[in-house]
Amino acid sequence: MVGLNMQDLEFTHGGYVADNGQTWFAEIPSFSPGFSVGIVGEMYLHKNFSLRTIPSLHFGERRVVFRESNTGEEEKFEVKSNYLMFPFDLKISSDRINNYRPYLLAGIAPTFDLSKKNQSPVQMKPLDFYLEFGFGCDFYFPYFKFIPEIKFCLGLSDVLNHEPNILDQSLLKYTNSISKATSRMIVITFNFE
């Protein structure tokens, strides 16, 4: 499996006011595409149902922009993530029509962030769980199957490290302005079986 991913974070702001009266809000204004690679494993339960796992690596980054509510001042930070993902999905396929077969899938994926910690005020916890759903289509060729797929991954836990290990303590005002951060990811892949 090879493909592209777009990583995102959904922030919940806590209304933290710094000592100087500043209030900061975080957002990710644009997506940066990343690279995905993995190995496909599938077990057929019935002609239309199968269990599938694709242990995979997802390399990417997010560009977080903090804006001060009164002055509009901006600060930008990059958050790199290298996810090792172990999804377990139920794949529901239609009957084969000529040489193609569309399907839907849903499942859960434990995920480990392998990236090294940086000096950004937005630091992630290493473990998360994603709820996955998506769709794709099996295209049958004489010697292999080609499978384009789109999958949406929604993080289920707060991944923000609320006590980051950073040297510059003045950056804590950015961390404290966020009360919760959940991960989201869109993955577009091309599987070869």
Side-chain angles (χ1 to χ4, degrees):
M1 177 275 287
V2 294
L4 300 173
N5 68 71
M6 288 165 280
Q7 300 177 9
D8 190 18
L9 286 170
E10 182 177 356
F11 296 111
T12 303
H13 297 93
Y16 173 79
V17 179
D19 294 337
N20 59 4
Q22 292 180 329
T23 304
W24 293 87
F25 294 93
E27 66 175 354
I28 298 179
S30 62
F31 296 113
S32 301
F35 179 71
S36 300
V37 63
I39 298 173
V40 179
E42 193 164 356
M43 182 176 77
Y44 293 95
L45 304 174
H46 180 268
K47 70 174 190 166
N48 298 101
F49 297 95
S50 61
L51 289 176
R52 189 174 75 169
T53 184
I54 304 178
S56 51
L57 279 168
H58 302 277
F59 305 96
E61 70 178 15
R62 304 166 181 116
R63 292 187 180 102
V64 181
V65 176
F66 284 90
R67 285 194 181 88
E68 206 284 318
S69 62
N70 298 319
T71 64
E73 179 185 347
E74 288 187 0
E75 289 290 337
K76 298 177 183 177
F77 300 96
E78 288 186 0
V79 180
K80 295 185 187 229
S81 294
N82 300 320
Y83 289 123
L84 178 59
M85 191 177 266
F86 295 97
F88 298 97
D89 298 323
L90 176 64
K91 179 179 171 184
I92 304 168
S93 304
S94 72
D95 289 331
R96 183 172 168 172
I97 305 164
N98 295 325
N99 284 332
Y100 63 92
R101 186 179 194 188
Y103 65 87
L104 299 172
L105 63 91
I108 192 161
T111 305
F112 303 94
D113 190 350
L114 303 174
S115 60
K116 293 182 179 178
K117 300 301 177 201
N118 55 28
Q119 288 299 308
S120 167
V122 182
Q123 295 181 7
M124 302 292 120
K125 295 176 185 174
L127 178 64
D128 195 8
F129 290 89
Y130 281 98
L131 182 63
E132 299 185 327
F133 57 93
F135 59 91
C137 189
D138 296 343
F139 290 98
Y140 294 87
F141 292 94
Y143 299 107
F144 68 95
K145 277 195 305 186
F146 172 66
I147 308 165
E149 177 181 287
I150 297 176
K151 190 163 43 175
F152 303 93
C153 308
L154 304 173
L156 299 177
S157 62
D158 180 11
V159 293
L160 181 68
N161 181 357
H162 294 279
E163 297 178 7
N165 184 16
I166 52 178
L167 299 175
D168 186 356
Q169 295 297 306
S170 67
L171 296 178
L172 284 177
K173 63 184 176 186
Y174 303 115
T175 306
N176 293 337
S177 68
I178 304 169
S179 63
K180 182 179 179 184
T182 53
S183 294
R184 298 185 294 190
M185 187 165 44
I186 299 172
V187 183
I188 300 169
T189 58
F190 303 99
N191 302 346
F192 299 90
E193 294 181 17

